[in-house]
Amino acid sequence: VDSELRDRWLDLVQRRVAGANMRSGAVRLAVAEWLARDGQCLVTVPQIVDGLRDRRLGSQASVYRVVEQLFSLGLLRRVAGGDGIARYEIADPQHHHHHVVDEATGDVVAFTDRELEAAIADAARRLGFELVAHDVILRGERLRVPAATRAQDQARV
Amino acid sequence: VDSELRDRWLDLVQRRVAGANMRSGAVRLAVAEWLARDGQCLVTVPQIVDGLRDRRLGSQASVYRVVEQLFSLGLLRRVAGGDGIARYEIADPQHHHHHVVDEATGDVVAFTDRELEAAIADAARRLGFELVAHDVILRGERLRVPAATRAQDQARV
DNA sequence: TTATATGCAAAAGCTTTGCATGGGT
DNA sequence: ACCCATGCAAAGCTTTTGCATATAA
């Protein structure tokens, strides 16, 4: 858990919620806190509901509503896993990251890569699009001896 | 509709199905033919079911089963649309393509880009993964005057 | 004949919605 | 007071599964 990111994101949530004439609410706060801690990479709404079950708050309906609100405010990224279930993660304005899925184990590794970002920006420019978001998912199998790892940031999730 | 791709893919389906000790079936044939024509870019299973409704064949269950079979045989790509609904398109062994979604209109444009492919291959190598698949979705808004379009292949879908 | 393919119907899981209640400002 | 936030329950939609029947080989 990246505690710096967590705190930065919670601050952002507070500011954006305040700036959208929404009132503070117990469920939204609980969902935001849970996501700041456990939603740094690809969680489903049912997982959030489970995570809040012990607190005796956060009905299914409210959690879906809160997640939709946070997404609309640009505070969450929604990346579909390919299995027909929507997955969310907190959106960090300072860092993009993408995902590589180990087909053998199902493990998800998050990574950032400057060259990939540049290639995406170039492609969008060539296509005549102003880019507002982009998702990349790689699928493969982990090699025994990785080539020299130059990706800037790499973390098992 | 790319009729060359359509025929090439239908041939491939026939060969792979034959090579997997599966028997020929009316629904699988109808689904494959529909996909070869209308599934060159991102369709959902309910759309396939609708498309076959007039033929009086292709129950929901059978279509889901056939699509899963084709996917398992590597004949379909499954790309999540971000909304929690699985989308499929025929997998062409000769060409990858990716998608850019116009956030303003919802239009999907398919494109291929050699530099992007190279950047993805590089990133996978650095991460120590042998790549078996990759999905890229860009989201943005179309500019009035596109910069010189250098993407190799570009088609509205 | 035998395993696969299909249809029907029900069930399971994710997501949304209507309505009444609770709570922030 | 007003109106947003929440819970509950029901409904909607996508997807899976059980079981009986039909069909290819």
Side-chain angles (χ1 to χ4, degrees):
Chain A
V1 176
D2 180 337
S3 59
E4 192 183 333
L5 166 57
R6 179 195 60 200
D7 298 339
R8 196 191 325 146
W9 187 75
L10 280 174
D11 281 352
L12 187 60
V13 170
Q14 191 168 1
R15 266 180 284 130
R16 292 232 182 128
V17 167
N21 69 315
M22 300 163 75
R23 299 173 185 177
S24 82
V27 174
R28 185 185 303 128
L29 179 61
V31 168
E33 288 179 344
W34 189 92
L35 282 169
R37 218 179 336 106
D38 299 314
Q40 298 195 0
C41 195
L42 295 184
V43 297
T44 67
V45 173
Q47 284 172 346
I48 304 173
V49 174
D50 281 353
L52 298 180
R53 194 177 304 288
D54 49 336
R55 297 207 201 176
R56 307 272 174 193
L57 58 81
S59 71
Q60 216 183 34
S62 296
V63 174
Y64 274 100
R65 279 188 282 238
V66 165
V67 167
E68 174 59 30
Q69 288 170 346
L70 297 178
F71 179 72
S72 294
L73 291 173
L75 293 162
L76 293 178
R77 278 219 296 165
R78 181 165 59 190
V79 179
D83 58 352
I85 302 178
R87 284 161 211 278
Y88 297 85
E89 63 187 12
I90 64 181
D92 183 1
Q94 298 187 18
H95 301 287
H96 276 319
H97 72 258
H98 298 296
H99 304 95
V100 50
V101 180
D102 188 334
E103 296 280 87
T105 64
D107 286 351
V108 176
V109 175
F111 70 94
T112 65
D113 187 294
R114 259 184 251 290
E115 291 187 21
L116 180 54
E117 298 294 323
I120 287 170
D122 280 355
R125 188 163 37 74
R126 285 173 206 152
L127 290 164
F129 273 77
E130 182 186 1
L131 208 56
V132 304
H134 59 274
D135 303 319
V136 175
I137 298 182
L138 311 186
R139 302 175 200 284
E141 294 197 12
R142 201 191 302 271
L143 298 173
R144 320 281 187 38
V145 180
T149 298
R150 254 179 45 215
Q152 289 86 4
D153 183 14
Q154 182 177 354
R156 184 160 305 131
V157 179
Chain B
V1 175
D2 180 338
S3 59
E4 192 183 334
L5 166 58
R6 178 193 61 200
D7 298 339
R8 195 191 324 147
W9 187 77
L10 280 174
D11 282 352
L12 186 61
V13 171
Q14 191 168 359
R15 269 179 282 131
R16 291 232 182 129
V17 166
N21 69 315
M22 299 163 75
R23 300 171 184 176
S24 80
V27 174
R28 185 184 304 126
L29 179 62
V31 169
E33 287 180 344
W34 191 91
L35 282 170
R37 220 177 338 104
D38 299 314
Q40 298 193 1
C41 195
L42 295 185
V43 298
T44 66
V45 174
Q47 284 172 345
I48 304 173
V49 174
D50 280 353
L52 298 180
R53 193 176 305 288
D54 48 337
R55 296 207 202 176
R56 306 270 174 197
L57 58 81
S59 71
Q60 215 184 32
S62 296
V63 175
Y64 272 100
R65 279 187 283 238
V66 164
V67 167
E68 175 58 31
Q69 288 169 348
L70 297 178
F71 178 72
S72 295
L73 291 172
L75 293 162
L76 293 179
R77 279 217 299 163
R78 181 165 60 188
V79 180
D83 57 352
I85 301 178
R87 284 161 210 279
Y88 297 85
E89 63 188 10
I90 65 181
D92 182 1
Q94 298 185 19
H95 301 289
H96 274 320
H97 73 258
H98 296 294
H99 305 94
V100 50
V101 181
D102 188 332
E103 296 280 84
T105 65
D107 287 352
V108 176
V109 176
F111 71 95
T112 65
D113 186 294
R114 260 183 250 291
E115 291 187 22
L116 180 54
E117 297 295 323
I120 287 170
D122 281 355
R125 187 163 38 72
R126 286 174 206 153
L127 291 164
F129 274 77
E130 182 186 0
L131 209 56
V132 303
H134 60 273
D135 304 318
V136 176
I137 298 181
L138 311 187
R139 302 174 200 286
E141 294 196 13
R142 201 191 302 271
L143 297 173
R144 322 284 189 35
V145 180
T149 298
R150 254 176 48 213
Q152 289 88 2
D153 182 15
Q154 182 178 353
R156 184 159 307 132
V157 179

